[in-house]
Amino acid sequence: MKQLGLVMLITALSACGGAPTGDATGRTPPGETGSGESGQAGPYTMTGTVRSENGMPVPGVDVYADNTLSYNVNATGVSDTSGHYRLTLPRNELGTWRGGAILHREYHGINYQFVLVASDVTEFPAERGAVRDFTWKLSGRTPEGQYYGGSLWMYGAVDAPGFDLSRVEVTLEPDGPIIDGSAGRTIRAFLYGSQIRDIPIGRYKVTARYLPEDGPPQSVLIAERRPSTYASSMTADFERTNTLGNAMQFTIKLGASVQPGDATSSISGDVRAATDLKGAVVVACVMNGEVCDETTKQETTIETSGLSARYHLDDLMVGQPYTLYGWKDVNGDNVVNRGDLIGMFSDGAPGTTVTPPNASAGFSLKPMS
């Protein structure tokens, strides 16, 4: 949450007049990186440990002690591999001190900033010293009444029939470890207005369904905020926005009704090529004539490098004939053209389809001539 992180940082530092970068003369007060065991603080020392919510040490956190009287006078340090830190405070400064900690973490190419939660927010005199532990929280309320987690927003498509967004149930399934390295958890919740708040930062596979008061459930098709194509699911990261903080934003519209007895399953297999497959997209959909039925479409992106890769597609309708194909946009122009890798599962006969449940199918991608 770009602005939320900034607001929390400003709030944490506003009483002190600035961020922990040095004093008014340009000097950087003495501080230390790490220290081994934090132990009991002595005079002119602030020490402690930085941990995640599940108790794991968090290295590389910027920890500071900020003087509450003098502008921009502070001591800074960084937590070590055990999460410990120790700061040495100046001996010639009036006023008391307040501790804080900020973590910068890159995740899937996006830089996030987190203001950590202090075990004790009271001020202390330098001659007494203090122990201040910090926790990296990914969800819950902040002291300012905001949320540590990100938010998801869904907007109804302009050209789609209107429906009550509060009846949309969203499922977020972690796609790999979340930002703190833990497995995360699957989240299932209804939209509140048009959003779901306080989601731990991670990469998620997002699906949704519409549950009207009367009648059967309906599938919900999802697209990017400025839609071009819709799909039954999207895998996405949070983006840092100026107004919503760390947010996922989608446009949605109603799909087909889900009838009693309908079931879902999967297709998996291996994709092969003579060049690197990283970035290739594997797609399965039921064809309506020569057009893909968007309500049935599922796709996944190959995230690993190599000449062979495993793919897995979920949420496919049992007993339906799926066309399976793959494409890698080699030149990055988002258009299928000469030199791109393309291929389709045919099993020796063009037009061959794959029918779940739990089907297995392998195929190759070759340069388009």
Side-chain angles (χ1 to χ4, degrees):
M1 292 177 290
K2 184 174 182 180
Q3 287 303 309
L4 178 55
L6 181 59
V7 168
M8 289 191 297
L9 175 59
I10 292 174
T11 301
L13 301 180
S14 59
C16 314
T21 56
D23 65 16
T25 63
R27 295 181 290 111
T28 299
E32 299 178 19
T33 299
S35 67
E37 291 296 329
S38 57
Q40 179 65 39
Y44 302 99
T45 300
M46 188 179 93
T47 185
T49 305
V50 184
R51 295 186 178 90
S52 64
E53 287 184 282
N54 57 14
M56 299 300 293
V58 183
V61 175
D62 295 320
V63 185
Y64 61 89
D66 208 3
N67 188 278
T68 60
L69 180 63
S70 300
Y71 173 77
N72 209 20
V73 173
N74 42 70
T76 63
V78 180
S79 60
D80 62 19
T81 56
S82 298
H84 300 303
Y85 74 91
R86 181 180 295 274
L87 308 181
T88 301
L89 306 177
R91 293 175 175 267
N92 57 348
E93 295 290 344
L94 299 176
T96 56
W97 298 80
R98 182 188 296 119
I102 300 171
L103 172 62
H104 299 270
R105 179 64 58 90
E106 181 178 340
Y107 179 79
H108 291 297
I110 302 174
N111 292 309
Y112 297 91
Q113 177 178 281
F114 301 88
V115 176
L116 276 59
V117 181
S119 59
D120 188 340
V121 297
T122 57
E123 303 168 10
F124 63 92
E127 58 269 22
R128 188 179 69 201
V131 175
R132 293 292 184 267
D133 296 326
F134 296 94
T135 302
W136 180 17
K137 298 194 67 174
L138 295 182
S139 62
R141 288 268 191 175
T142 70
E144 297 77 30
Q146 303 295 326
Y147 294 93
Y148 293 108
S151 61
L152 175 145
W153 295 75
M154 286 184 167
Y155 310 92
V158 174
D159 59 349
F163 58 100
D164 183 359
L165 286 175
S166 68
R167 306 298 300 175
V168 175
E169 181 189 54
V170 182
T171 300
L172 297 99
E173 181 181 354
D175 183 19
I178 62 175
I179 194 168
D180 67 350
S182 66
R185 63 182 179 88
T186 297
I187 299 170
R188 183 173 287 108
F190 284 92
L191 293 175
Y192 181 78
S194 59
Q195 65 174 304
I196 296 173
R197 295 178 289 186
D198 202 26
I199 304 166
I201 300 299
R203 173 174 286 179
Y204 292 91
K205 177 183 176 182
V206 182
T207 57
R209 61 176 183 160
Y210 185 60
L211 301 176
E213 292 186 13
D214 299 312
Q218 288 182 259
S219 62
V220 171
L221 300 180
I222 306 174
E224 296 178 345
R225 180 66 184 95
R226 294 176 176 81
S228 55
T229 60
Y230 288 84
S232 57
S233 69
M234 287 194 68
T235 299
D237 294 297
F238 288 88
E239 296 180 349
R240 301 186 64 181
T241 71
N242 291 329
T243 56
L244 303 178
N246 293 332
M248 293 180 179
Q249 298 185 76
F250 305 102
T251 299
I252 59 175
K253 66 180 181 179
L254 292 177
S257 296
V258 180
Q259 301 301 323
D262 286 350
T264 62
S265 195
S266 64
I267 299 175
S268 61
D270 294 311
V271 184
R272 300 169 296 276
T275 57
D276 186 23
L277 281 164
K278 185 174 182 180
V281 178
V282 179
V283 180
C285 69
V286 178
M287 303 300 290
N288 183 6
E290 296 184 355
V291 179
C292 173
D293 182 349
E294 292 290 338
T295 66
T296 69
K297 183 178 178 182
Q298 291 286 4
E299 64 180 53
T300 185
T301 301
I302 304 299
E303 302 287 354
T304 57
S305 296
L307 306 183
S308 178
R310 190 77 176 167
Y311 75 89
H312 188 91
L313 295 166
D314 287 315
D315 298 331
L316 305 176
M317 301 301 295
V318 172
Q320 294 294 314
Y322 280 84
T323 296
L324 184 66
Y325 61 94
W327 170 47
K328 179 176 179 180
D329 185 11
V330 174
N331 59 15
D333 63 357
N334 204 34
V335 177
V336 179
N337 50 28
R338 185 188 300 269
D340 287 351
L341 296 179
I342 58 173
M344 178 178 293
F345 175 75
S346 62
D347 201 20
T352 301
T353 57
V354 184
T355 303
N358 303 322
S360 179
F363 62 102
S364 298
L365 302 185
K366 297 180 180 180
M368 181 178 179
S369 58

